[in-house]
Amino acid sequence: MDKITFCIPSKSNLQYLKTCIPSIRNNAYKNDHNIIIFVDSDKDVTIEWLDKVKDKYNLIYYKNTKIEK
């Protein structure tokens, strides 16, 4: 199977990311697929959580530079 990239938009949806990201890692046939999160809004400490788990789940995230808090 070829390597695939999961692109996940996020707009203050931390509860879903906490379910989605581990699920991808636990259920994917290979563990080297890319996971990229695009954070457009962070009213629920999404970025703080992503900072804590980015190495554990080997993910990359980009945040909107005009995020409102």
Side-chain angles (χ1 to χ4, degrees), residues 26-62:
N26 291 333
N27 294 301
Y29 180 72
K30 294 171 61 177
N31 200 22
D32 65 344
H33 300 300
N34 296 317
I35 300 177
I36 303 173
I37 315 298
F38 298 96
V39 182
D40 191 44
S41 177
D42 180 21
K43 295 181 181 176
D44 59 0
V45 297
T46 298
I47 293 174
E48 183 178 317
W49 182 78
L50 290 171
D51 276 336
K52 290 179 185 177
V53 301
K54 66 182 176 186
D55 294 329
K56 177 180 179 179
Y57 294 117
N58 190 26
L59 57 88
I60 300 167
Y61 72 89
Y62 298 96

Side-chain angles (χ1 to χ4, degrees), residues 4 9 17 21 39 53 62 69:
I4 60 174
L17 290 176
I21 294 170
V39 182
V53 301
Y62 298 96
K69 281 205 172 204

